[in-house]
Amino acid sequence: MSQYHADYTNFQVSISREEALKQLIESYEALCDGQNNWVSNLSNLSSLLWHCYKSLQLNINWAGFYVLDNNTINKNEQQLILGPFQGKVACQLIPFGKGVCGTCASTLKTQVVKNVHEFPGHIACDGKTKSEIVVPIINQVANKCIGVIDIDCLDYDGFSQEIDGKYLEILARKIVETCKF
Amino acid sequence: MSQYHADYTNFQVSISREEALKQLIESYEALCDGQNNWVSNLSNLSSLLWHCYKSLQLNINWAGFYVLDNNTINKNEQQLILGPFQGKVACQLIPFGKGVCGTCASTLKTQVVKNVHEFPGHIACDGKTKSEIVVPIINQVANKCIGVIDIDCLDYDGFSQEIDGKYLEILARKIVETCKF
């Protein structure tokens, strides 16, 4: 139990990426205990993601969430809308199927992109981003995307399916269990 | 018009605090043009606030929002719930009347606190915070607090009513005009 909430963002600098991501998931579970407000939970989780990857010396420039835009739920052309994040200002709307986030939302598959400039239809919120991982948050009952976890890196090849994909997919399932959208 | 959304967070380092805060308000107005989703707008605004104050070399460690917890709207004891922010993980719930944010919410008055340790009932999310400004976001029709802008600083006496209070109060009115809560 941390004395201050801010202490949850203290990650040891000598641990492996796998250990840090396990700690992040444990911290998220502790923080959202008894709290299902998605804005509150994902705001704190953006902070955990940011400080976790920074502690691993990964040169990330954005960590946060896009969620299903409720205004488009019953429409043919759905879109994602910007949710809580840490980093520089970002695009507000992303149509399903467009760019890395939109492709993740329409295919329900994690996207690990080593070089975003080679991704067809890439939507650049920050021209300096070089690689990206986007993980779907899936309502399993309806088999629908309710949001995505999105992390951008200033270096090429910042993320792997084996480690980042694995743990962020576990985290995405925790989000579904803990948040009321 | 910026080429990338991220460019909105580029503040010149040589301008005055007053000029930087005016630029922040203009950038916020441009970003939320045609968009009234409060989560999306306040997430981008947290980023603008963070990068604006950092460009002014002010040692801030948190910038963001608490909003009225809808679960307590019709109850005698209302509370604020954590909204979008930039910085380290924070407390999720703050009762009206408690600490700097809760006092701002219950009095509808901007709180400029030179030394948080001298503020009665201060709620510490981060033990390193030394000064703070909290500005109410007010529904003028109902004369009720619908949220607060909260910025924390690692140094004493980080903020003034004359400049920070003045421009953040203008910003709070823009939030009411532009966001649907």
Side-chain angles (χ1 to χ4, degrees):
Chain A
M1 184 63 191
S2 300
Q3 186 184 1
Y4 298 108
H5 276 72
D7 296 340
Y8 280 108
T9 47
N10 296 337
F11 290 86
Q12 288 174 50
V13 289
S14 57
I15 58 177
S16 69
R17 191 178 293 205
E18 202 153 2
E19 285 303 310
L21 288 166
K22 282 183 190 170
Q23 182 186 323
L24 178 149
I25 292 170
E26 285 171 16
S27 294
Y28 173 70
E29 288 181 306
L31 278 165
C32 69
D33 185 37
Q35 180 55 258
N36 67 5
N37 183 288
W38 72 271
V39 179
S40 192
N41 286 348
L42 298 191
S43 294
N44 265 341
L45 185 49
S46 298
S47 176
L48 284 176
L49 286 165
W50 179 267
H51 290 91
C52 176
Y53 277 102
K54 286 287 181 187
S55 78
L56 292 165
Q57 311 294 316
L58 192 67
N59 207 3
I60 66 165
N61 58 327
W62 205 90
F65 299 89
Y66 282 87
V67 297
L68 178 60
D69 181 358
N70 283 331
N71 290 331
T72 67
I73 275 184
N74 294 317
K75 295 188 178 159
N76 283 335
E77 294 185 357
Q78 299 197 321
Q79 60 187 6
L80 295 167
I81 188 163
L82 180 65
F85 70 90
Q86 303 245 338
K88 290 188 177 178
V89 159
C91 318
Q92 283 104 318
L93 298 174
I94 298 177
F96 272 46
K98 294 277 171 66
V100 185
C101 286
T103 299
C104 175
S106 59
T107 62
L108 301 178
K109 299 281 184 212
T110 295
Q111 307 290 311
V112 178
V113 182
K114 292 171 189 290
N115 177 356
V116 293
H117 302 298
E118 294 178 351
F119 194 92
H122 168 58
I123 297 169
C125 294
D126 185 341
K128 296 198 175 110
T129 298
K130 290 203 173 70
S131 62
E132 185 170 5
I133 186 167
V134 185
V135 175
I137 302 166
I138 304 170
N139 176 334
Q140 296 288 354
V141 179
N143 197 36
K144 280 191 62 172
C145 179
I146 50 179
V148 300
I149 306 168
D150 181 17
I151 307 175
D152 295 346
C153 182
L154 292 169
D155 298 318
Y156 293 114
D157 204 10
F159 308 97
S160 73
Q161 175 63 46
E162 292 67 31
I163 296 179
D164 307 286
K166 174 183 170 186
Y167 286 99
L168 295 179
E169 287 172 10
I170 293 170
L171 186 62
R173 289 193 291 273
K174 297 277 176 204
I175 291 169
V176 176
E177 290 168 15
T178 53
C179 292
K180 191 175 167 191
F181 284 87
Chain B
M1 182 64 191
S2 300
Q3 186 185 1
Y4 297 108
H5 276 73
D7 296 340
Y8 281 108
T9 47
N10 296 338
F11 290 85
Q12 288 173 49
V13 290
S14 57
I15 59 177
S16 70
R17 191 178 293 205
E18 203 153 0
E19 284 303 308
L21 287 166
K22 282 183 189 169
Q23 182 186 325
L24 179 149
I25 292 169
E26 286 171 16
S27 294
Y28 173 70
E29 288 181 306
L31 277 165
C32 69
D33 185 37
Q35 180 56 259
N36 68 5
N37 183 289
W38 73 271
V39 179
S40 192
N41 286 348
L42 298 191
S43 295
N44 265 341
L45 185 49
S46 298
S47 176
L48 284 175
L49 287 165
W50 180 266
H51 290 92
C52 176
Y53 277 101
K54 285 288 179 186
S55 78
L56 293 165
Q57 311 294 315
L58 191 68
N59 207 4
I60 66 164
N61 57 328
W62 205 90
F65 300 88
Y66 281 88
V67 298
L68 177 61
D69 182 357
N70 283 331
N71 290 330
T72 66
I73 275 184
N74 295 316
K75 294 189 179 161
N76 283 335
E77 295 184 357
Q78 299 197 321
Q79 62 187 5
L80 296 166
I81 188 163
L82 180 65
F85 71 89
Q86 304 245 338
K88 290 187 178 179
V89 161
C91 317
Q92 283 104 321
L93 299 173
I94 298 176
F96 273 47
K98 294 276 170 69
V100 185
C101 286
T103 299
C104 175
S106 60
T107 62
L108 301 177
K109 300 280 185 212
T110 294
Q111 306 291 311
V112 178
V113 183
K114 292 172 189 290
N115 177 357
V116 293
H117 302 299
E118 293 178 351
F119 194 92
H122 169 57
I123 297 169
C125 294
D126 185 341
K128 295 197 175 113
T129 298
K130 290 202 173 70
S131 62
E132 184 170 4
I133 185 168
V134 185
V135 174
I137 302 167
I138 304 171
N139 177 334
Q140 297 289 353
V141 179
N143 197 37
K144 280 193 61 172
C145 179
I146 51 179
V148 301
I149 306 169
D150 182 17
I151 308 175
D152 295 346
C153 183
L154 292 168
D155 297 319
Y156 293 115
D157 203 9
F159 309 97
S160 73
Q161 175 63 46
E162 293 68 29
I163 296 179
D164 306 286
K166 174 183 171 186
Y167 286 100
L168 295 178
E169 286 172 10
I170 293 171
L171 186 62
R173 289 193 290 274
K174 297 276 176 200
I175 291 168
V176 176
E177 290 167 16
T178 53
C179 292
K180 190 175 168 194
F181 283 87

